[in-house]
Amino acid sequence: MAPTTDNLSPVVALAGGVGGAKFAAGLQETLPPGALTVIVNTGDDFQHWGLTICPDIDTVLYGLANVNNPETGWGRANETWDVLTETERLGGEAWFRLGDKDLALHLLRNNWLKSGATLTEITDRLRLTLDIPSRILPMCNQPVRTLVHTDEGDLPFQDYFVRRRCEPTFHGLTFVGADNAVLAPEVAESLQTAAQIIICPSNPYLSVDPILSVPGLSDLVRASAAPVVAVSPIVGGRAVKGPVAKMMREMGHLEHLPLTVVEHYAGLLDGFVIDQQDRADASRLPLPTLTTDTIMTDLPSKRRLAAEVLQFSRSLMYS
């Protein structure tokens, strides 16, 4: 049974990637309309074909609008690829797959950015057009770009993640421009008024750390009276999707990966959620832990997990 939730009791989720978008969709289905705010990673934004591409924002937009590709978790359902096919035929780069419907959004966003609108304003315009009841906030309006340090040198995030499929050995990250980023008032207000803060099952390094790199943001999370709960992206010692387990092992974390995630978030968390396949690690964790099935394959499983995490989070308010 889903937890009871006071009308519009605000919940804030930090999200990036497909896992974050899936869990955010479950939260939206579980909470009253308008109760959810999702703060989204923009560290993997980049310029492509002369356009500003915001992969994580768009994955969350499409997921919460239920127009995403259910097979990949990213991109649009029933997409066509005429522009990409013709671009490749004419000799252009096609390693980053932009579908025709997806491209329409990028063209509009680029035009609005040139007209002086902020990324926050544009994202809100798009979510309203897509009939999304939840608020979606970029982590900041200034460009912050994730630079991946590897055994082959420094690689822009999309070159590492998409073009090279995370093959180079991971050494670390720099969030270029983070020092000049400004905490948006909408982000600050959402964290200051949150009743619950949830870190989605996103890659801690590539998806969540860029959000926390915005000056002042992690301080607001730490200072919040709301319980802060993270959902582990690790299941059975592996990542459900993406390179997080590979990255952790390349940094020397060879076992007990859930504990590694908790230690990475040191000082932020009041509770942690792990998959039942990792229940042996529960006794090693230094904070309250919920063990459950964290695999999300369809909307009912997303809704079930979100309801369990919200109920667990609420229980921490009174412990």
Side-chain angles (χ1 to χ4, degrees):
M1 179 180 296
T4 57
T5 307
D6 296 335
N7 188 35
L8 294 184
S9 177
V11 174
V12 174
L14 309 188
V18 172
K22 283 184 174 183
F23 187 73
L27 288 172
Q28 179 174 269
E29 285 291 310
T30 306
L31 292 162
L36 175 65
T37 296
V38 187
I39 300 173
V40 186
N41 167 45
T42 61
D44 57 356
D45 293 6
F46 74 122
Q47 297 292 311
H48 189 61
W49 294 353
L51 303 173
T52 298
I53 312 297
C54 304
D56 279 4
I57 289 178
D58 297 341
T59 299
V60 171
L61 279 168
Y62 297 155
L64 296 191
N66 197 29
V67 298
N68 62 308
N69 183 334
E71 295 181 2
T72 62
W74 53 267
R76 293 290 300 270
N78 304 312
E79 184 64 280
T80 56
W81 305 92
D82 293 341
V83 173
L84 184 73
T85 300
E86 185 65 8
T87 298
E88 188 171 23
R89 189 185 74 82
L90 293 173
E93 291 189 339
W95 59 271
F96 192 87
R97 295 182 60 78
L98 291 177
D100 300 330
K101 294 178 183 177
D102 197 24
L103 183 60
L105 183 148
H106 298 314
L107 288 168
L108 282 173
R109 177 191 285 129
N110 206 62
N111 186 53
W112 291 334
L113 285 169
K114 287 184 176 180
S115 297
T118 67
L119 189 57
T120 296
E121 293 168 341
I122 292 167
T123 303
D124 199 55
R125 188 180 304 176
L126 290 168
R127 71 100 181 170
L128 290 171
T129 301
L130 291 168
D131 294 323
I132 298 170
S134 305
R135 201 174 191 190
I136 301 172
L137 298 176
M139 66 188 203
C140 60
N141 290 309
Q142 296 75 28
V144 175
R145 300 295 178 255
T146 299
L147 186 67
V148 186
H149 308 304
T150 78
D151 62 335
E152 299 181 17
D154 294 343
L155 296 174
F157 174 81
Q158 297 299 343
D159 284 67
Y160 169 78
F161 190 73
V162 179
R163 192 198 291 263
R164 295 300 313 281
R165 301 178 183 273
C166 308
E167 292 173 357
T169 301
F170 174 80
H171 288 167
L173 299 169
T174 297
F175 305 116
V176 180
D179 290 345
N180 297 320
V182 177
L183 187 66
E186 297 88 347
V187 171
E189 180 186 10
S190 70
L191 290 169
Q192 289 165 344
T193 59
Q196 300 177 67
I197 299 174
I198 299 174
I199 300 177
C200 294
S202 303
N203 188 311
Y205 310 101
L206 298 178
S207 295
V208 180
D209 278 359
I211 299 174
L212 298 175
S213 76
V214 177
L217 197 150
S218 64
D219 292 335
L220 286 179
V221 175
R222 288 187 176 89
S224 175
V228 181
V229 171
V231 183
S232 176
I234 299 296
V235 175
R238 302 182 304 276
V240 177
K241 193 173 182 67
V244 62
K246 172 183 180 290
M247 295 168 65
M248 292 164 77
R249 291 189 174 96
E250 288 170 352
M251 290 187 290
H253 306 298
L254 301 180
E255 57 183 8
H256 309 316
L257 299 188
L259 177 60
T260 301
V261 176
V262 169
E263 291 176 339
H264 183 74
Y265 290 138
L268 284 181
L269 302 183
D270 299 298
F272 194 57
V273 180
I274 62 173
D275 189 80
Q276 55 197 5
Q277 296 182 45
D278 297 301
R279 65 175 65 253
D281 285 289
S283 62
R284 298 185 178 92
L285 301 178
L287 73 178
T289 302
L290 170 67
T291 302
T292 187
D293 179 5
T294 62
I295 300 294
M296 296 174 287
T297 57
D298 53 20
L299 188 55
S301 60
K302 296 172 190 175
R303 187 187 299 118
R304 174 199 52 77
L305 178 60
E308 291 182 359
V309 172
L310 287 168
Q311 186 171 352
F312 172 61
S313 174
R314 286 168 63 88
S315 73
L316 298 176
M317 298 178 186
Y318 312 109
S319 61

